[in-house]
Amino acid sequence: MIPKIETASAQEIQAFQESELAKTLKYVSQHSAYYKRLFADKNIDVSSIKTIDDLRQIPVTTKAELQAFNDDFLCVPTTEIIDYATTSGTLGDPVTFGLTDKDLDRLAYNEAISFDCAGIKHGDIVQLMTTIDRRFMAGLAYFLGLRKMKVGVIRVGAGIPELQWDSIRKYKPTYLITVPSFLLKLIEYAEAHGIDYKNSGIKGAVCIGEALREQDFSDSTLSRKIAEKWDIKLYSTYASTEMATAFTECEFHVGGHHHPELIVVETVDDENNPVADGEPGELVITNLGVEGMPLIRFKTGDIVQLHREPCRCGRNTLRVGPVLGRKQQMIKYKGTTLYPPAMTNVLNDFENIDLHVIEISTNDLGTDEILIKLAVKHESEQFLREIKDHFRAKLRVTPRIEFTTKEALSPIVFNPMSRKPITFFDFRK
């Protein structure tokens, strides 16, 4: 079910996007109080923006503006809103998004073509291991997409390995949608309770929230750990509430496929200028076809690299590589630039580590300081030296590391008010 536009030539895709972009710009200039004001202040005539490159005439929209003027971005009366979703608030106050009936249809279409990328077909049964409540857009999107595909869904929600295995044995799902590190907990539970997980009928898992691939698309440590135990196919998917669109891997695992009918993407540097091909930059998105709260040139905060060569799956769309890190989470440490995912990858190499928390603060010299708290199975000075040596080898620097207990870290990492595990805390001034 590859949409026709995704197999078109690069020139056809660009022409199509520019036609859709003109409609979106006209729509927001008429219906969005925020963009009406911005275009008037900057003396921007949207009818003069004909190409993707012309988009640069419009200033970027940041999370700070979304937080400060949330209601001004809404393009429809509240009587048209069917669903209220909020961002997770990882980097500040959550932002509310109102979705119309048409937006929910768009969301379903997005997930249907994304899951199709990952090989899910009519006849499959999918176990949903993420929350569908708490104003979480993704859980609802997954359900709507699978429903559109006429695929069976088991809505178990997050956590509780016992309940997950009870559902797997009872309903025989073929795919799971989950945070990948939870697959290790499922395996651990199965091994402890004599469950023959290798013959459970699970063919694959669509994974959210954690990196399955390195920048060269080789498997991450987490991915390898799962594969060593359980021979199922793992597919990475990347999205955000603001994008209302997913980038999901196909069977060739070379980045998340772009859906040009749904979103325009750019990558920019610190001055909001486009980065050169093959260079990482901050992902900037413009929604297409969103009715309730479309965004123009929204800076996602995610540092990614775009890949433009056609894929062997037949799609000619660009692909988004694994997220290097969040722009606001960039750390300058002893002359080295680091992002939390790189440190998490190093820690994932050790079976002895149960839980970790990375804390960033500002020291007396006004520079970044890193403290990593670890809950481990067996504490020793030798193990501490091994971790530090591994950091030095992989990242050229060694952060401060201290041991603590699983009991101390569990309530912090698995905060009941959060939709996902929290392992990074930024206390910088």
Side-chain angles (χ1 to χ4, degrees):
M1 191 182 89
I2 302 177
K4 198 174 171 190
I5 188 61
E6 300 188 18
T7 59
S9 69
Q11 293 78 9
E12 288 169 319
I13 290 171
Q14 184 172 329
F16 170 81
Q17 283 221 298
E18 287 169 352
S19 162
E20 293 301 303
L21 178 62
K23 295 176 195 171
T24 296
L25 292 175
K26 185 179 178 186
Y27 179 75
V28 296
S29 69
Q30 292 171 348
H31 299 284
S32 164
Y34 177 83
Y35 286 114
K36 267 188 206 176
R37 194 163 63 238
L38 178 71
F39 297 157
D41 289 349
K42 301 294 181 184
N43 202 22
I44 294 167
D45 174 9
V46 293
S47 65
S48 71
I49 295 170
K50 308 286 188 191
T51 68
I52 305 291
D53 286 346
D54 290 344
L55 256 182
R56 288 177 222 154
Q57 296 173 31
I58 300 175
V60 293
T61 298
T62 67
K63 187 72 168 263
E65 280 132 11
L66 269 184
Q67 287 164 329
F69 308 107
N70 199 166
D71 292 349
D72 288 355
F73 284 88
L74 200 61
C75 290
V76 296
T78 52
T79 51
E80 297 293 307
I81 301 301
I82 303 293
D83 184 71
Y84 290 88
T86 54
T87 57
S88 58
T90 311
L91 298 174
D93 295 332
V95 171
T96 298
F97 281 78
L99 286 85
T100 66
D101 201 41
K102 185 181 163 192
D103 291 337
L104 291 175
D105 287 342
R106 179 189 174 282
L107 212 52
Y109 169 78
N110 160 69
E111 290 300 345
I113 59 177
S114 296
F115 289 143
D116 187 77
C117 268
I120 297 174
K121 306 290 179 202
H122 177 55
D124 281 312
I125 297 173
V126 177
Q127 187 149 316
L128 191 50
M129 297 181 171
T130 65
T131 183
I132 200 168
D133 54 6
R134 301 190 192 179
R135 307 191 302 261
F136 187 37
M137 184 190 277
L140 177 64
Y142 303 146
F143 175 76
L144 293 174
L146 294 165
R147 177 177 179 238
K148 186 175 177 67
M149 298 170 84
K150 296 185 168 52
V151 164
V153 187
I154 311 155
R155 292 178 292 108
V156 182
I160 322 173
E162 183 181 0
L163 181 59
Q164 303 290 355
W165 279 117
D166 178 59
S167 293
I168 289 168
R169 287 183 290 194
K170 195 173 284 184
Y171 305 114
K172 306 285 189 292
T174 45
Y175 282 84
L176 311 173
I177 299 175
T178 183
V179 175
S181 57
F182 185 65
L183 291 172
L184 291 173
K185 288 190 167 50
L186 277 186
I187 293 166
E188 195 180 309
Y189 184 91
E191 288 177 340
H193 294 81
I195 296 168
D196 184 10
Y197 62 92
K198 291 180 181 177
N199 291 303
S200 58
I202 303 294
K203 294 191 292 189
V206 176
C207 296
I208 63 167
E210 295 166 333
L212 291 179
R213 316 279 168 231
E214 303 291 357
Q215 290 303 307
D216 63 357
F217 300 121
S218 60
D219 289 345
S220 69
T221 304
L222 180 57
S223 206
R224 288 198 306 274
K225 275 187 174 179
I226 297 163
E228 281 163 14
K229 292 276 191 177
W230 201 359
D231 184 23
I232 59 174
K233 290 179 177 173
L234 302 178
Y235 297 90
S236 183
T237 187
Y238 159 66
S240 70
T241 306
E242 295 92 349
M243 295 194 292
T245 311
F247 297 84
T248 305
E249 289 182 329
C250 68
E251 73 256 41
F252 296 105
H253 308 295
V254 286
H257 279 284
H258 171 221
H259 301 309
E261 61 273 54
L262 299 177
I263 199 166
V264 174
V265 297
E266 308 168 66
T267 40
V268 301
D269 62 18
D270 291 345
E271 281 74 50
N272 300 326
N273 296 315
V275 298
D277 264 3
E279 291 294 316
E282 185 173 358
L283 185 69
V284 172
I285 62 97
T286 297
N287 307 126
L288 298 177
V290 170
E291 192 175 51
M293 207 171 128
L295 300 177
I296 309 298
R297 299 202 76 212
F298 174 74
K299 293 183 82 173
T300 62
D302 292 328
I303 307 297
V304 301
Q305 185 178 328
L306 302 182
H307 300 265
R308 297 183 186 277
E309 63 281 1
C311 183
R312 284 182 286 162
C313 70
R315 294 173 181 85
N316 293 329
T317 50
L318 62 80
R319 300 179 315 286
V320 176
V323 175
L324 264 168
R326 300 280 290 166
K327 183 72 187 294
Q328 281 175 263
Q329 293 176 347
M330 187 177 86
I331 304 150
K332 279 284 193 187
Y333 187 66
K334 297 179 181 175
T336 299
T337 298
L338 296 175
Y339 291 99
M343 290 188 277
T344 298
N345 279 348
V346 171
L347 297 170
N348 280 340
D349 281 333
F350 296 96
E351 298 283 347
N352 192 24
I353 297 174
D354 280 326
L355 289 175
H356 77 270
V357 162
I358 300 166
E359 294 182 355
I360 312 299
S361 57
T362 307
N363 61 25
D364 296 340
L365 301 172
T367 59
D368 292 346
E369 196 60 56
I370 306 171
L371 170 63
I372 298 179
K373 295 179 179 176
L374 299 179
V376 300
K377 295 178 181 74
H378 308 289
E379 273 185 40
S380 72
E381 281 300 314
Q382 185 189 340
F383 182 55
L384 188 59
R385 279 196 301 275
E386 276 179 41
I387 299 170
K388 289 184 173 182
D389 287 346
H390 197 49
F391 264 99
R392 220 170 277 119
K394 291 280 189 180
L395 301 178
R396 300 199 302 277
V397 289
T398 304
R400 193 155 59 94
I401 296 168
E402 65 179 42
F403 292 131
T404 182
T405 63
K406 200 171 178 178
E407 291 70 28
L409 288 192
S410 273
I412 299 168
V413 175
F414 304 109
N415 185 326
M417 296 307 291
S418 175
R419 300 163 180 165
K420 48 196 172 190
I422 306 169
T423 58
F424 180 76
F425 294 87
D426 195 339
F427 301 121
R428 286 176 289 193
K429 294 167 191 156

